[in-house]
Amino acid sequence: MTLSRRSLLKMTAATVSLSVALPAFAQAIDELVIAYNVNLPSWDPTVGPSAVNPTIQGIYQSVFDQFILQQPDLSPAPGLLTDWGWNEDRTQVWMDVRQGVKWHDGSDFTAEDVAWSLARVADPATGSPIQFVWGTLANHRVEGNRVIADVVQFDPTIFKWMYFLTGYVLPKAYYERVGADGFEAAPIGTGPYMVEQYERNAFVRLRANPHYWNGVPEFESVTIRFVTDAASRVAEVESGRSHVTLEIPYEEYDRLRAMPALGGVATPISDIAMIFFNDIDVMLDENVRKAAVLAVDKQLIIDRLLSGYGVALSTLETPEYAAYDPTIQVPYDPDQARELLAASGYSTDNPVRFTIQTTRGFKPKDYEMIQAIVGLWRRVGIEAEIEVYEVARHYELRAADQLAPAAFYNWGNSVGDPTTSTGFAMFGPSPHSVWDSQDLIDMIAPLWAEPNEERRIQGWKDVDRYIAEHAYVLPLLQYVQPIIHANGVHVTPHASGALLPHLMTRA
Amino acid sequence: MFLRRFLTRIATTLVTLFGVAVIVFVVIRVVPGDPIAMMLPPGATDADIARLQALYGLDKSIPQQFVIWLGGVLHGDFGTSITTRQPVLGLVLSRLPATLELSIMALVIAVVLGGLMALTGTRLRDTRTEGAIDVANGMALSVPDFLWGLVLILMFGVLWPVFSISGRVSPALVPQFHTDFFLFESVLRLRFDLWLDLVGHMLMPAVALAIPLAAIIGQLLKQSLKETMHLDYVTLARTKGYGENHVITHEALRNAILPTLTLIGVQFTFLIGGTVIIERLFSYEGLGNMAIDAVINRDLPLIQGIVLLFALLFTLVNLCVDLLYAVLNPRLRHA
């Protein structure tokens, strides 16, 4: 190849023209580009920290199928398993496997893959963080098109975990042939998209799976760029380089969706904001706890700080969760808060003092929310000192039960079951709980193995009511996820918060 | 003499690296943030926690962990990343070229910009142009590099979208190269389309990194040049009839550049450190971007690997500058 100055100039001009032509709001979209808010560290959705990172699940679900399909409203539907259940005495589970499904390499998906995937994550040596759930099943075996496993310990939510964290089906034959490293290098699944190219910390290019059992995705090619900085994601969609993005400040969301070439969807997702109370110091005084709950005007915080994007909560259950009870309401009542504090000898002149811990910038307006709450508390006689820490520190302190009397946190529960919201957050022996009083432990303990679903859900509703009455926790709000998209794309939001390209179509 | 100086520096470099390794290893285990706590699922029991700690070797004491890690490092095994479950050495070496290319491009831009400002300022000293250059220098120094990054994203990413603002290369262009030095290899392979694409992606982050350094270079070099312009040998050159441009570039610059060279060496290490934020801002897949992820996820082996590599880079750059200074400075060369 000979290169003259003229040809170099021509190429430069062509490239610059190409760059300028990149913004393509009005053009038909051939290749969908998504500016994603996190990096994808690992492709195995069943082991390591990535497996329990809710933000990454959208990418995993684009490539891999879960045992059971979860619909955008969080409800389960037949997926790779077409039917499932327990035997009469609940000593076994059975799962019917869909036929005619292909892996991305063209090989047949079989019941062996399901049995192997379940056995693999149940094995402690695999390193699955959810092994304690999968280990409740053993002796996985295939009988025709059905997988059967023995129940070691009855868990009424076992099938819900099959569309929750680590509940993915991996290819037995392929994984055993290429090994863990080979799978990382070239992952395959049965999902709607196939991995075409992956550059760590940069992007992943996906190609539509032409044999996808649930319908071929509309966009043949999808590029997911990992743009971790919110300002850069805004610039990506504003300039037209990316067609879709998520997790941007609400002010930017309102500004961008008002632009003629862009649209937006903002729907509540399964993540909630809450303040843990620890059963130490002044929090042992029920009047103080109740006053701290009653003094917070959640709707005001949503309106003023979150531009109205949020749903005020009185329990740890959102309206989409199975145990949501709309009759449990804790109103904003600063006068009652003052009365309760006065009964314990506190007032604005003699405030009750404690520390509240919070992250800053981990979730939208987290620190600002706590500042506002501290301001509201001050009006009734609570003087809280704010301590900022990283979320990693929160996890460490919570696991060691060493959090301050109050600690802000956000809880995700994309499966919508009460065990994975109220249960693990409020059951003393759980490493995630902060309030450890025996009355609550006694109330919750029988529900873990309650076989009757109706009684189980009602039991959790009763627990939620009891928690609200005794103010063992301060539920704040349900988050709303803002998604900005080019007008050429129609985005179907998923209540789990997962951004799924196969749910996107041309508008 | 020169050889002894060189060997002494190598020895001190090794001691420095060992010290960095010890400090990093201890500090990241003492500071808050337990990687196991971060991956605990709801409902995990004490036994689950203990199992995960054993799996990642975090159940041993810090001295035991350090000895195991150091033994591995001496055999070229820097451990396995907790989040990616890939060997740390491979991960950091695969990202290092991207960061080096970005840093070198930023350095070149800084040297060119700073040099031009210094030469122009010296040539037009005591004029309004020099004043304008000083003001520009002051502005460039006052604004941190990440803010320049945001300004560049707004200007050339949104208002006039000429340059790419995220990534290292367009996903559509798939570089099938043998090395991770895409920029250099694209030239060697005469893939100028790819080279232009790479430059289009790197230019904004490189300029953001370069602006403060260019200001420092410009300020120091101009000051050195102005001082040199009063020396006897410069006056002699003028009396020989050489023009002002010739005097500045051929006579004064040679002596005036020595302190700037030392400064460039020191500042280059800061520039590499600056890539951490800039790479994040521009979603550039370099070592800095990876470092932030590693810290967020408390990926201890990866943090150790990255910091050790950064330390190695810093000490090597300083070593090179020292040696280069010794070569260029006749007083040291003949000492």
Side-chain angles (χ1 to χ4, degrees), chain B residues 13-83:
Chain B
T13 297
L14 290 175
V15 173
T16 304
L17 288 178
F18 181 78
V20 168
V22 173
I23 291 169
V24 170
F25 196 92
V26 173
V27 166
I28 62 174
R29 277 163 176 76
V30 171
V31 295
D34 174 8
I36 301 301
M38 289 198 67
M39 71 172 92
L40 279 182
T45 62
D46 289 344
D48 296 318
I49 297 168
R51 181 175 52 78
L52 286 171
Q53 281 176 332
L55 191 72
Y56 291 101
L58 299 170
D59 55 337
K60 299 179 174 62
S61 68
I62 292 179
Q64 279 178 310
Q65 289 180 46
F66 182 72
V67 170
I68 293 169
W69 178 73
L70 192 64
V73 168
L74 293 174
H75 290 90
D77 177 9
F78 283 66
T80 303
S81 157
I82 292 174
T83 47

Side-chain angles (χ1 to χ4, degrees), chain B residues 261-282:
Chain B
L261 192 67
T262 312
L263 176 97
I264 289 172
V266 175
Q267 289 293 329
F268 184 56
T269 56
F270 284 114
L271 190 141
I272 293 173
T275 58
V276 173
I277 300 293
I278 289 297
E279 285 185 0
R280 193 69 171 182
L281 190 61
F282 287 91

Side-chain angles (χ1 to χ4, degrees), chain B residues 93-94 96-101 104 168 177-188 198:
Chain B
L93 288 182
S94 69
L96 178 63
T99 297
L100 278 182
E101 285 190 338
I104 291 169
R168 188 184 179 197
F177 285 166
H178 294 297
T179 72
D180 290 309
F181 288 95
F182 292 170
L183 197 65
F184 294 111
E185 197 172 335
S186 62
V187 174
L188 293 176
L198 286 160

Side-chain angles (χ1 to χ4, degrees), chain A residues 19 39 41-42 44 47 49 129-130 132 184 200-202 205 226-228 232 235-236 239 241 390 393 396 424 431-432, chain B residues 32-33 40-44 48 82-86 91 95 153 157 161-163 166 171 280-281 283 285 293 298:
Chain A
S19 303
N39 280 310
S42 166
D44 190 330
V47 296
I130 310 291
F132 71 97
E184 276 297 328
R200 194 181 300 280
N201 286 83
R205 284 188 88 183
F226 307 131
V227 185
T228 47
S232 301
E236 279 281 323
S239 65
R241 288 183 173 84
E390 283 184 79
R393 178 68 172 156
E396 188 179 14
F424 289 131
H432 292 277
Chain B
L40 279 182
D48 296 318
I82 292 174
T83 47
T84 67
R85 291 176 293 109
Q86 302 288 307
L91 283 173
R95 288 289 155 241
I153 285 175
V162 181
F163 297 106
S166 70
R280 193 69 171 182
L281 190 61
S283 306
E285 59 263 38
D293 275 338
R298 292 296 187 276

